[in-house]
Every structure is written in structure tokens, then in C-alpha cells.
Amino acid sequence: RVEYIDLPLVRFRIMNNNGFDPVARRELEIKALKKHDPSAIAASISSIYDDERKFRMSLGKALHKIGLFSDALQQFNRVMELDISNADAHFFAGNCYFDLGDNKKAINAFNACLKVRPDHAGCRNNLGILYHKQGDLDRSLQEIRKAVALEKNLFESVFNLSKLSADTTDKELKRI
């Protein structure tokens, strides 16, 4: 089976079980994207999608990967204007707010995502991290446990649950 990384500017073919590390894959994606101006990324993505929501979601994800959080947030907000029930737009907006340091807006965006899709494991994981940052360890643990229960193979959530459950002072958690 062959998987394709969803980047119009870069076409990596990755064979399943070939030992290609997901972290290395992400680094390659970011490196490839950073070679291009955001307007070139947008032009390339627009050639693939006729649907504005799909275009803006893909562009927002690409902009987020290269650290343009405010620009990415604009894309996700536009998707929500077009479709307020798009759970992924709320989720990625929450990630942007998180990266911009606005934890209150990040929590609100994650809760909006969960209102639409309560089984969004990645959202529950990231919400748990925000609660952890605020010192609310009980709510943090509750959300991360829910994430693991929803998706047992979600590495970040399993990792975070083990960190929170361990008797250690190292509580650095992983986001999705």
C-alpha cells in the first residue's frame, strides 16, 4: 500500500512498513513547504480543490506547519464562517490559538470542536494539555484518558497518559 503526503508542492511516496519515521516525514514536509512563499503554496493548493472549505483547510494546515499561525487561523475561521459545524476547523483553530499563546481562546475552540464531535481524540488530548498547563491536573487526566479510550493507537495521548500517571516530575506532554 502506498500513502501520499497531502502537499501539492511535494509528492513523497511512502511505502507502509518501510521504517519511515513519522517524525522524519513531518520534518521533510516542513522543510519542503518552507522553500515556498505562502502565496505559491496557496496557488498550488487551489489548483487541487474546487471546494473552498477543503482548500482553506489544506492551506491552513500547511501555513500552521511552517509556523504562520495567524495566517492559518484566518483560513480556519473562514471555514467556520462557511460551515460552523466543521469540527476540524475548530480543532485546528484551537491549535493556532494554543501556538499564539491564547489559552482561553484555544479552550473555547476545542470545546466548540467537541460540541460538534465529542469523539475527537486529538482535541481531547490537546484540551488535556491546556488543562495541565493551567494546573488543573484532574481535568487534564480526564481528557487524556478519554482520548486514549477513543483512539488507543494515538501515540501522543498514550504517551501523555503514561507521563501523567507516572510518579515523576517530568510532565512534558505531546500535542497533536
Side-chain angles (χ1 to χ4, degrees), residues 151-163:
E151 204 169 317
K152 293 185 184 349
N153 294 327
L154 192 60
F155 167 77
E156 293 85 356
S157 298
V158 173
F159 174 87
N160 292 340
L161 184 57
S162 70
K163 282 283 193 175

Side-chain angles (χ1 to χ4, degrees), residues 11-25:
R11 292 289 183 210
F12 295 113
R13 280 181 25 159
I14 301 170
M15 303 302 286
N16 279 355
N17 301 320
N18 69 352
F20 197 77
D21 179 7
V23 174
R25 174 177 145 176

Side-chain angles (χ1 to χ4, degrees), residues 30-47:
I30 293 168
K31 184 177 177 182
L33 278 171
K34 284 187 172 183
K35 291 180 180 179
H36 302 280
D37 180 81
S39 61
I41 295 169
S44 181
I45 293 172
S46 71
S47 69

Side-chain angles (χ1 to χ4, degrees), residues 8-76:
L9 299 169
V10 185
R11 292 289 183 210
F12 295 113
R13 280 181 25 159
I14 301 170
M15 303 302 286
N16 279 355
N17 301 320
N18 69 352
F20 197 77
D21 179 7
V23 174
R25 174 177 145 176
R26 179 171 168 73
E27 289 173 6
L28 282 172
E29 289 175 347
I30 293 168
K31 184 177 177 182
L33 278 171
K34 284 187 172 183
K35 291 180 180 179
H36 302 280
D37 180 81
S39 61
I41 295 169
S44 181
I45 293 172
S46 71
S47 69
I48 294 174
Y49 297 109
D50 291 331
D51 181 277
E52 183 180 358
R53 289 172 293 193
K54 290 179 182 177
F55 161 71
R56 292 193 181 276
M57 283 298 296
S58 184
L59 179 58
K61 289 176 190 179
L63 294 173
H64 186 267
K65 281 182 183 181
I66 59 175
L68 298 175
F69 307 126
S70 294
D71 295 335
L73 181 59
Q74 288 177 357
Q75 300 305 316
F76 301 129

